[in-house]
Amino acid sequence: MRLMKRMLAVLLGASLLCPMTAYADQPEEAQALYQQVEASMDALTDMNLFYDFNVNLSGSALEEAGLSPMDMRMEMNIKMNHLQDPQQLRYMSYSRITMPEAGEVVSASYYADGYVYVDSAGQKLKYPMDIGTMAEQAAASAVAFSAPEDLISDMNVWDEGENKVLGYTINDTRMNEYMNMVLGSVGLTGMYEGFEMNLSNISGEYVINPQGQCIKMRIKMNMDMTMDGQTIAMTLDGDIGIADPGQPVDVPMPNPAEYTELSDALAQMTQQ
């Protein structure tokens, strides 16, 4: 069960890090539209993102834990501001994972003034983090909207009401090479022995408003992971919405007095 939980944590984390955009030798209209969206995203200083994914899990790690294949819903709201002024950066992440037979798992984290605040599993903890590290994590939260060129195998554009939709598929081999690089940069690939991950059947769509701003990204993909000889297979289908792109985002902050220093909590645990 412990191995299965570790694998699930890595798998879900990887799915949120997974970049989904790029272009290579695509139709002129699609390239122009993508470049317009990319420019508008690069100019954003604040972001309010809503993740909503339906996930199916299966594999030997679940069987070993006595579990059947399961469906779950993963929701997250991430708010960030002052993205181009790290000294003023504020960040909030609220997540909820819902499983039909196990209920909900809710957690929240915040960053302000050199400290991370985590509210999870009935505990409120805080610990220092330098602004450079936090700025990298904030950038990773938006990585789904930015990636190297050369990954997409085809791209097309169509109308959806007043909006444009930019659809694409991704080259599995190149995506896996890039994803391994991303996971390695955040330390996930070196955490466990025998760690392997493979992505496949990746497709997505950008929904772009008349102002040329991306307001939603839809994603479908399969992810398979092996760790210590056990496997988990995940199919993911959902979207990431951007609320009011270009507008200021107010990021709520917790009361620091309600949070215990992580070092103090760990010291107390060792004394018990």
Side-chain angles (χ1 to χ4, degrees):
M1 178 67 79
R2 182 174 299 176
L3 174 62
M4 192 270 291
K5 288 182 178 179
R6 287 189 305 174
M7 294 178 71
L8 183 57
V10 173
L11 198 60
L12 294 177
S15 70
L16 295 178
L17 285 173
C18 188
M20 287 294 135
T21 68
Y23 65 93
D25 198 24
Q26 303 299 330
E28 185 174 339
E29 180 187 7
Q31 284 195 26
L33 187 59
Y34 176 84
Q35 291 168 350
Q36 180 182 2
V37 171
E38 189 177 49
S40 69
M41 295 298 297
D42 288 343
L44 292 179
T45 61
D46 297 15
M47 296 186 78
N48 187 6
L49 307 176
F50 290 87
Y51 293 70
D52 191 355
F53 288 95
N54 292 315
V55 180
N56 176 266
L57 296 170
S58 59
S60 64
L62 273 72
E63 296 172 5
E64 185 74 16
L67 300 174
S68 301
M70 66 175 69
D71 294 312
M72 59 191 294
R73 184 181 181 187
M74 182 172 63
E75 301 168 273
M76 182 178 292
N77 177 213
I78 294 178
K79 293 183 178 182
M80 303 173 282
N81 60 22
H82 302 291
L83 288 171
Q84 300 186 28
D85 182 10
Q87 295 301 323
Q88 301 297 319
L89 176 66
R90 297 290 185 273
Y91 178 97
M92 181 217 74
S93 171
Y94 172 88
S95 65
R96 178 172 61 194
I97 297 176
T98 306
M99 292 175 279
E101 297 181 0
E104 296 180 350
V105 177
V106 176
S107 63
S109 62
Y110 310 83
Y111 178 83
D113 303 323
Y115 258 83
V116 173
Y117 302 87
V118 179
D119 184 351
S120 179
Q123 288 188 302
K124 292 186 175 183
L125 302 172
K126 60 182 177 181
Y127 56 91
M129 178 179 287
D130 67 86
I131 188 62
T133 302
M134 189 60 224
E136 291 177 359
Q137 291 195 14
S141 298
V143 76
F145 300 95
S146 179
E149 302 177 11
D150 242 6
L151 301 183
I152 282 186
S153 57
D154 70 275
M155 184 184 289
N156 56 89
V157 180
W158 64 92
D159 293 326
E160 187 175 275
E162 65 176 2
N163 300 319
K164 293 282 188 181
V165 179
L166 181 63
Y168 57 86
T169 58
I170 288 187
N171 181 288
D172 291 350
T173 300
R174 293 188 179 185
M175 185 62 201
N176 280 295
E177 292 173 353
Y178 182 74
M179 193 62 189
N180 284 329
M181 182 188 71
V182 172
L183 292 174
S185 70
V186 297
L188 287 179
T189 55
M191 290 175 63
Y192 308 107
E193 294 184 5
F195 177 90
E196 293 183 9
M197 180 173 290
N198 183 68
L199 286 73
S200 61
N201 300 321
I202 309 167
S203 64
E205 300 171 358
Y206 283 114
V207 181
I208 303 157
N209 68 16
Q211 291 72 45
Q213 300 166 318
C214 179
I215 57 174
K216 182 176 288 188
M217 187 176 70
R218 301 166 180 147
I219 303 170
K220 293 182 179 181
M221 66 177 173
N222 297 336
M223 299 179 71
D224 300 303
M225 186 178 70
T226 301
M227 185 188 298
D228 294 341
Q230 299 292 330
T231 62
I232 282 186
M234 179 176 82
T235 61
L236 183 146
D237 184 354
D239 58 60
I240 306 171
I242 307 176
D244 301 319
Q247 297 301 309
V249 175
D250 181 34
V251 179
M253 286 290 113
N255 179 2
E258 297 178 355
Y259 288 72
T260 302
E261 287 278 359
L262 178 60
S263 57
D264 293 342
L266 292 174
Q268 186 176 10
M269 288 175 60
T270 58
Q271 294 173 1
Q272 292 178 351

